[in-house]
Coordinates of all heavy atoms in Angstrom, one line a residue:
M1 N 6.8 -3.9 -18.1 CA 7.3 -2.6 -17.6 C 6.4 -2.1 -16.5 O 5.2 -1.9 -16.6 CB 7.3 -1.6 -18.8 CG 7.7 -0.2 -18.4 SD 7.5 0.9 -19.8 CE 9.1 1.6 -19.8
T2 N 7.0 -1.7 -15.4 CA 6.3 -1.1 -14.3 C 6.4 0.4 -14.3 O 7.3 1.0 -14.8 CB 6.9 -1.6 -12.9 OG1 8.3 -1.2 -12.8 CG2 6.8 -3.1 -12.8
T3 N 5.3 0.9 -13.8 CA 5.3 2.4 -13.7 C 5.6 2.8 -12.3 O 5.4 2.1 -11.3 CB 3.8 2.9 -14.0 OG1 2.9 2.3 -13.2 CG2 3.4 2.6 -15.5
P4 N 6.2 4.0 -12.3 CA 6.6 4.5 -10.9 C 5.4 4.9 -10.1 O 4.4 5.1 -10.6 CB 7.5 5.7 -11.2 CG 7.2 6.1 -12.6 CD 6.7 4.9 -13.3
L5 N 5.6 4.9 -8.8 CA 4.5 5.3 -7.9 C 4.1 6.7 -8.2 O 5.0 7.6 -8.3 CB 5.1 5.2 -6.4 CG 4.1 5.5 -5.3 CD1 3.0 4.4 -5.3 CD2 4.8 5.4 -4.0
P6 N 2.9 6.9 -8.4 CA 2.4 8.3 -8.8 C 2.7 9.2 -7.6 O 2.4 8.9 -6.5 CB 0.9 8.1 -8.9 CG 0.7 6.7 -9.1 CD 1.8 6.0 -8.4
T7 N 3.3 10.3 -7.9 CA 3.6 11.3 -6.9 C 2.5 12.3 -6.6 O 2.5 13.0 -5.6 CB 4.9 12.1 -7.3 OG1 4.7 12.7 -8.5 CG2 6.1 11.2 -7.3
T8 N 1.5 12.3 -7.5 CA 0.5 13.2 -7.3 C -0.7 12.6 -6.5 O -1.6 13.3 -6.2 CB -0.1 13.8 -8.7 OG1 -0.5 12.6 -9.5 CG2 1.0 14.6 -9.4
H9 N -0.7 11.3 -6.4 CA -1.8 10.6 -5.7 C -1.6 10.7 -4.2 O -0.5 10.5 -3.7 CB -1.8 9.1 -6.1 CG -2.2 8.9 -7.5 ND1 -1.8 9.6 -8.5 CD2 -3.1 8.0 -8.0 CE1 -2.3 9.2 -9.7 NE2 -3.1 8.2 -9.4
R10 N -2.6 11.0 -3.5 CA -2.6 11.0 -2.0 C -3.1 9.7 -1.5 O -2.7 9.3 -0.4 CB -3.5 12.1 -1.5 CG -2.9 13.5 -1.8 CD -3.7 14.5 -1.1 NE -2.9 15.6 -0.8 CZ -3.2 16.7 -0.2 NH1 -4.5 16.8 0.2 NH2 -2.4 17.6 0.1
A11 N -3.9 9.0 -2.2 CA -4.5 7.7 -1.8 C -4.4 6.7 -3.0 O -4.7 7.1 -4.1 CB -5.9 7.8 -1.3
L12 N -3.8 5.5 -2.7 CA -3.6 4.6 -3.8 C -4.5 3.4 -3.7 O -5.0 3.1 -2.6 CB -2.2 4.0 -3.7 CG -1.0 5.1 -3.6 CD1 0.3 4.4 -3.2 CD2 -0.9 5.7 -5.0
T13 N -4.8 2.8 -4.8 CA -5.7 1.6 -4.9 C -4.8 0.4 -4.6 O -3.6 0.4 -4.6 CB -6.3 1.5 -6.3 OG1 -5.2 1.2 -7.2 CG2 -7.1 2.6 -6.7
V14 N -5.5 -0.7 -4.2 CA -4.8 -2.0 -3.9 C -4.0 -2.3 -5.2 O -2.8 -2.7 -5.0 CB -5.7 -3.1 -3.5 CG1 -5.1 -4.4 -3.5 CG2 -6.3 -2.7 -2.1
P15 N -4.5 -2.3 -6.4 CA -3.6 -2.7 -7.6 C -2.4 -1.8 -7.7 O -1.3 -2.2 -8.1 CB -4.5 -2.5 -8.8 CG -5.9 -2.8 -8.1 CD -5.9 -2.2 -6.8
Q16 N -2.5 -0.5 -7.4 CA -1.3 0.4 -7.5 C -0.3 0.0 -6.4 O 0.9 0.0 -6.7 CB -1.7 1.9 -7.2 CG -2.4 2.4 -8.4 CD -3.0 3.8 -8.1 OE1 -3.5 4.1 -7.0 NE2 -2.9 4.8 -9.1
V17 N -0.7 -0.4 -5.2 CA 0.2 -0.9 -4.2 C 0.8 -2.2 -4.6 O 2.0 -2.4 -4.4 CB -0.5 -0.9 -2.8 CG1 0.4 -1.6 -1.8 CG2 -1.0 0.5 -2.3
M18 N 0.0 -3.1 -5.1 CA 0.5 -4.3 -5.6 C 1.7 -4.1 -6.6 O 2.7 -4.7 -6.5 CB -0.6 -5.1 -6.3 CG -1.7 -5.7 -5.4 SD -3.1 -6.3 -6.3 CE -2.4 -7.3 -7.5
E19 N 1.5 -3.2 -7.5 CA 2.5 -3.0 -8.6 C 3.7 -2.3 -7.9 O 4.9 -2.6 -8.3 CB 1.9 -2.1 -9.7 CG 2.9 -1.9 -10.8 CD 2.2 -1.2 -12.0 OE1 1.1 -1.3 -12.2 OE2 3.0 -0.6 -12.8
A20 N 3.5 -1.3 -7.1 CA 4.7 -0.6 -6.4 C 5.5 -1.5 -5.7 O 6.7 -1.3 -5.6 CB 4.0 0.5 -5.6
L21 N 4.9 -2.5 -5.0 CA 5.7 -3.4 -4.1 C 6.0 -4.7 -4.7 O 6.8 -5.5 -4.2 CB 4.9 -3.6 -2.8 CG 4.7 -2.4 -1.9 CD1 3.9 -2.8 -0.7 CD2 6.0 -1.8 -1.5
G22 N 5.3 -4.9 -5.9 CA 5.6 -6.3 -6.6 C 5.0 -7.4 -5.8 O 5.6 -8.5 -5.7
L23 N 3.9 -7.2 -5.1 CA 3.3 -8.2 -4.3 C 1.9 -8.6 -4.9 O 1.3 -7.9 -5.7 CB 3.0 -7.7 -2.9 CG 4.3 -7.3 -2.1 CD1 4.0 -6.6 -0.8 CD2 5.2 -8.5 -1.9
S24 N 1.4 -9.8 -4.4 CA 0.1 -10.2 -4.8 C -1.0 -9.5 -4.1 O -0.8 -8.9 -3.0 CB 0.0 -11.7 -4.6 OG -0.1 -11.9 -3.2
R25 N -2.2 -9.6 -4.6 CA -3.4 -9.0 -4.0 C -3.6 -9.6 -2.6 O -3.8 -8.9 -1.6 CB -4.6 -9.2 -4.8 CG -5.9 -8.7 -4.2 CD -7.1 -9.0 -5.1 NE -7.0 -8.3 -6.4 CZ -7.3 -7.1 -6.7 NH1 -7.9 -6.4 -5.7 NH2 -7.2 -6.6 -7.9
F26 N -3.4 -10.9 -2.5 CA -3.5 -11.6 -1.2 C -2.6 -11.1 -0.2 O -3.0 -10.8 1.0 CB -3.3 -13.1 -1.4 CG -3.4 -13.9 -0.2 CD1 -4.6 -14.3 0.3 CD2 -2.2 -14.3 0.5 CE1 -4.7 -15.0 1.5 CE2 -2.3 -15.0 1.7 CZ -3.5 -15.4 2.2
T27 N -1.3 -10.8 -0.6 CA -0.4 -10.3 0.4 C -0.6 -8.9 0.8 O -0.5 -8.5 2.0 CB 1.1 -10.4 -0.2 OG1 1.4 -11.8 -0.6 CG2 2.1 -9.8 0.7
V28 N -1.1 -8.0 -0.1 CA -1.4 -6.6 0.2 C -2.6 -6.6 1.2 O -2.5 -5.9 2.2 CB -1.7 -5.8 -1.0 CG1 -2.3 -4.4 -0.7 CG2 -0.5 -5.7 -1.9
Y29 N -3.6 -7.5 0.9 CA -4.7 -7.5 1.9 C -4.4 -8.0 3.2 O -4.8 -7.6 4.3 CB -6.0 -8.2 1.2 CG -6.8 -7.3 0.4 CD1 -6.8 -7.5 -1.0 CD2 -7.5 -6.3 0.9 CE1 -7.6 -6.7 -1.8 CE2 -8.3 -5.5 0.1 CZ -8.3 -5.7 -1.2 OH -9.1 -4.9 -2.1
N30 N -3.4 -9.0 3.3 CA -2.9 -9.5 4.5 C -2.2 -8.4 5.3 O -2.4 -8.3 6.5 CB -2.0 -10.7 4.3 CG -2.7 -12.0 4.3 OD1 -3.8 -12.1 4.6 ND2 -2.0 -13.0 3.8
L31 N -1.4 -7.6 4.6 CA -0.8 -6.4 5.3 C -1.8 -5.4 5.8 O -1.6 -4.9 6.9 CB 0.2 -5.7 4.3 CG 1.4 -6.5 3.9 CD1 2.2 -5.8 2.7 CD2 2.4 -6.7 5.1
I32 N -2.9 -5.2 5.1 CA -3.9 -4.3 5.5 C -4.6 -4.9 6.7 O -4.8 -4.2 7.8 CB -4.9 -4.0 4.4 CG1 -4.3 -3.2 3.3 CG2 -6.2 -3.4 4.9 CD1 -5.0 -3.1 2.0
R33 N -5.0 -6.2 6.7 CA -5.6 -6.9 7.8 C -4.8 -6.9 9.1 O -5.4 -6.7 10.2 CB -6.0 -8.4 7.4 CG -7.3 -8.5 6.7 CD -7.7 -10.0 6.6 NE -7.0 -10.7 5.6 CZ -7.2 -10.7 4.3 NH1 -8.2 -9.9 3.8 NH2 -6.5 -11.4 3.4
S34 N -3.5 -7.1 8.9 CA -2.6 -7.1 10.1 C -2.3 -5.7 10.6 O -1.5 -5.6 11.5 CB -1.3 -7.9 9.7 OG -0.6 -7.1 8.8
R35 N -2.8 -4.7 9.9 CA -2.5 -3.3 10.2 C -1.1 -2.9 10.1 O -0.7 -1.9 10.6 CB -3.0 -3.0 11.6 CG -4.5 -3.2 11.7 CD -5.1 -2.9 13.1 NE -6.5 -3.2 13.1 CZ -7.4 -2.6 13.8 NH1 -7.1 -1.5 14.3 NH2 -8.6 -3.0 13.8
E36 N -0.3 -3.7 9.3 CA 1.1 -3.2 9.0 C 1.0 -2.1 7.9 O 1.9 -1.3 7.9 CB 1.8 -4.4 8.4 CG 2.3 -5.4 9.5 CD 3.2 -6.5 8.8 OE1 4.3 -6.1 8.5 OE2 2.7 -7.6 8.6
L37 N -0.1 -2.2 7.1 CA -0.2 -1.1 6.1 C -1.6 -0.5 6.3 O -2.6 -1.1 5.9 CB -0.2 -1.8 4.7 CG -0.3 -0.9 3.5 CD1 0.9 0.1 3.5 CD2 -0.2 -1.7 2.2
P38 N -1.6 0.7 6.9 CA -2.9 1.3 7.2 C -3.6 1.7 5.9 O -3.0 2.0 4.8 CB -2.5 2.6 7.9 CG -1.1 2.4 8.5 CD -0.5 1.4 7.4
S39 N -5.0 1.6 6.0 CA -5.8 1.9 4.8 C -7.1 2.5 5.3 O -7.5 2.4 6.5 CB -6.0 0.7 4.0 OG -6.9 -0.2 4.7
I40 N -7.9 3.0 4.4 CA -9.2 3.6 4.7 C -10.2 3.0 3.7 O -9.8 2.5 2.6 CB -9.3 5.1 4.6 CG1 -8.8 5.6 3.2 CG2 -8.4 5.7 5.7 CD1 -9.0 7.1 3.0
T41 N -11.4 2.9 4.1 CA -12.5 2.4 3.2 C -13.5 3.6 3.0 O -13.9 4.2 3.9 CB -13.2 1.2 3.8 OG1 -12.2 0.2 4.1 CG2 -14.2 0.7 2.9
I42 N -13.8 3.8 1.7 CA -14.7 4.9 1.4 C -15.8 4.1 0.6 O -15.5 3.7 -0.6 CB -14.1 6.0 0.6 CG1 -12.9 6.6 1.3 CG2 -15.2 7.0 0.2 CD1 -12.1 7.5 0.5
G43 N -16.9 3.9 1.2 CA -18.0 3.0 0.5 C -17.4 1.7 0.4 O -17.1 1.1 1.5
R44 N -17.3 1.1 -0.8 CA -16.7 -0.2 -1.0 C -15.3 -0.1 -1.4 O -14.7 -1.2 -1.7 CB -17.5 -1.0 -2.0 CG -18.9 -1.3 -1.4 CD -19.8 -2.0 -2.4 NE -19.1 -3.3 -2.8 CZ -19.4 -4.0 -3.9 NH1 -20.3 -3.6 -4.7 NH2 -18.7 -5.1 -4.2
A45 N -14.8 1.1 -1.6 CA -13.4 1.3 -2.1 C -12.4 1.3 -1.0 O -12.5 2.1 0.0 CB -13.3 2.6 -2.9
R46 N -11.3 0.5 -1.2 CA -10.2 0.5 -0.2 C -9.1 1.4 -0.7 O -8.7 1.3 -1.9 CB -9.7 -0.9 0.0 CG -8.5 -1.1 0.8 CD -8.8 -1.0 2.3 NE -9.7 -2.0 2.7 CZ -10.0 -2.1 4.0 NH1 -9.5 -1.4 5.0 NH2 -10.9 -3.0 4.4
R47 N -8.6 2.3 0.0 CA -7.5 3.2 -0.3 C -6.4 3.1 0.7 O -6.6 3.1 1.9 CB -8.0 4.7 -0.6 CG -9.0 4.8 -1.7 CD -8.4 4.5 -3.0 NE -9.3 4.7 -4.1 CZ -10.0 3.7 -4.7 NH1 -9.8 2.5 -4.3 NH2 -10.8 4.0 -5.6
I48 N -5.1 3.2 0.2 CA -4.0 3.2 1.1 C -3.4 4.6 0.9 O -2.9 5.0 -0.2 CB -3.0 2.2 0.7 CG1 -3.6 0.8 0.8 CG2 -1.7 2.3 1.5 CD1 -4.3 0.2 -0.3
P49 N -3.3 5.5 1.9 CA -2.7 6.8 1.8 C -1.2 6.6 1.4 O -0.6 5.7 1.9 CB -2.8 7.3 3.2 CG -4.0 6.6 3.9 CD -3.9 5.2 3.3
A50 N -0.8 7.4 0.5 CA 0.5 7.4 -0.1 C 1.6 7.5 1.1 O 2.6 6.8 1.1 CB 0.8 8.5 -1.1
E51 N 1.3 8.3 2.0 CA 2.2 8.4 3.2 C 2.3 7.2 4.0 O 3.4 6.8 4.5 CB 1.8 9.6 4.1 CG 2.7 10.0 5.1 CD 4.1 10.4 4.6 OE1 4.2 11.0 3.5 OE2 5.1 10.0 5.2
S52 N 1.2 6.4 4.1 CA 1.2 5.1 4.8 C 2.2 4.1 4.1 O 2.9 3.4 4.7 CB -0.2 4.5 4.9 OG -1.0 5.3 5.7
L53 N 2.1 4.2 2.8 CA 3.0 3.3 2.0 C 4.4 3.6 2.2 O 5.3 2.8 2.4 CB 2.6 3.3 0.5 CG 3.4 2.4 -0.4 CD1 3.3 0.9 0.1 CD2 3.0 2.5 -1.8
R54 N 4.7 5.0 2.1 CA 6.1 5.4 2.4 C 6.6 5.0 3.7 O 7.7 4.5 3.9 CB 6.2 7.0 2.2 CG 6.1 7.4 0.8 CD 6.4 8.9 0.6 NE 6.0 9.3 -0.6 CZ 4.7 9.8 -1.0 NH1 3.8 9.8 -0.1 NH2 4.5 10.1 -2.3
T55 N 5.8 5.2 4.8 CA 6.2 4.8 6.1 C 6.4 3.3 6.2 O 7.4 2.9 6.8 CB 5.1 5.3 7.1 OG1 4.9 6.7 7.0 CG2 5.4 4.9 8.5
F56 N 5.5 2.5 5.6 CA 5.7 1.1 5.6 C 7.0 0.7 5.0 O 7.7 -0.1 5.6 CB 4.5 0.5 4.9 CG 4.6 -1.0 4.7 CD1 4.4 -1.9 5.7 CD2 5.1 -1.5 3.4 CE1 4.5 -3.3 5.5 CE2 5.3 -2.9 3.2 CZ 5.0 -3.7 4.2
M57 N 7.3 1.3 3.8 CA 8.6 1.0 3.2 C 9.8 1.4 3.9 O 10.7 0.6 4.1 CB 8.6 1.5 1.8 CG 7.6 0.8 0.9 SD 7.3 1.4 -0.8 CE 8.5 2.6 -1.1
E58 N 9.7 2.5 4.6 CA 10.8 3.0 5.4 C 11.1 2.1 6.6 O 12.2 1.8 7.0 CB 10.6 4.5 5.9 CG 10.7 5.5 4.8 CD 10.2 6.9 5.2 OE1 9.8 7.1 6.3 OE2 10.3 7.8 4.3
T59 N 10.0 1.7 7.3 CA 10.0 0.8 8.4 C 10.7 -0.5 8.0 O 11.5 -1.1 8.7 CB 8.6 0.5 8.9 OG1 8.1 1.8 9.4 CG2 8.7 -0.4 10.2
K60 N 10.2 -1.1 6.8 CA 10.8 -2.3 6.3 C 12.3 -2.2 6.1 O 13.1 -3.1 6.3 CB 10.1 -2.8 5.2 CG 8.7 -3.4 5.5 CD 8.7 -4.5 6.5 CE 7.4 -5.0 6.9 NZ 7.4 -6.0 7.9
L61 N 12.7 -1.1 5.5 CA 14.1 -0.8 5.2 C 14.9 -0.7 6.5 O 16.0 -1.3 6.6 CB 14.3 0.4 4.4 CG 13.9 0.4 2.9 CD1 13.9 1.7 2.3 CD2 14.9 -0.6 2.2
E62 N 14.4 -0.1 7.5 CA 15.1 0.0 8.8 C 15.2 -1.4 9.5 O 16.3 -1.7 10.0 CB 14.3 0.9 9.7 CG 14.5 2.4 9.3 CD 13.6 3.3 10.2 OE1 12.9 2.9 11.1 OE2 13.5 4.6 9.8
E63 N 14.2 -2.2 9.3 CA 14.2 -3.5 9.9 C 15.3 -4.4 9.2 O 15.9 -5.2 9.8 CB 12.8 -4.2 9.8 CG 11.8 -3.6 10.8 CD 10.4 -4.2 10.5 OE1 10.3 -5.1 9.6 OE2 9.5 -3.8 11.2
A64 N 15.4 -4.2 7.9 CA 16.4 -5.0 7.1 C 17.8 -4.6 7.4 O 18.7 -5.3 7.1 CB 16.0 -4.9 5.6
A65 N 18.1 -3.3 7.9 CA 19.4 -2.9 8.0 C 20.1 -3.5 9.3 O 19.6 -4.0 10.1 CB 19.4 -1.3 8.2

């Protein structure tokens, strides 16, 4: 059972993005490395702003249309 994307979170962890998109850790990090999915690093923690994930998904939907 998957949990919905948290609406109260402003920044998501890589595992949260993996679950939300149904992708592997490797694929999520490839999206981050290619700058398709913007992220920030705080210390050693990688975070993906929720708005960046929404924008990424909207862009992919537009490309698919």
Side-chain angles (χ1 to χ4, degrees):
M1 175 186 232
T2 59
T3 56
L5 183 63
T7 56
T8 57
H9 291 44
R10 292 185 148 184
L12 305 167
T13 63
V14 169
Q16 287 173 317
V17 173
M18 290 167 50
E19 186 173 335
L21 297 178
L23 297 174
S24 69
R25 177 179 300 273
F26 179 80
T27 301
V28 171
Y29 276 109
N30 273 345
L31 291 170
I32 291 169
R33 273 191 285 279
S34 68
R35 299 183 187 216
E36 286 185 74
L37 185 58
S39 68
I40 57 172
T41 303
I42 304 168
R44 293 180 58 198
R46 175 74 62 174
R47 296 293 181 263
I48 296 89
E51 189 57 38
S52 294
L53 181 58
R54 284 186 195 89
T55 301
F56 172 78
M57 291 177 9
E58 288 170 1
T59 301
K60 291 298 179 186
L61 284 171
E62 288 172 5
E63 290 174 2

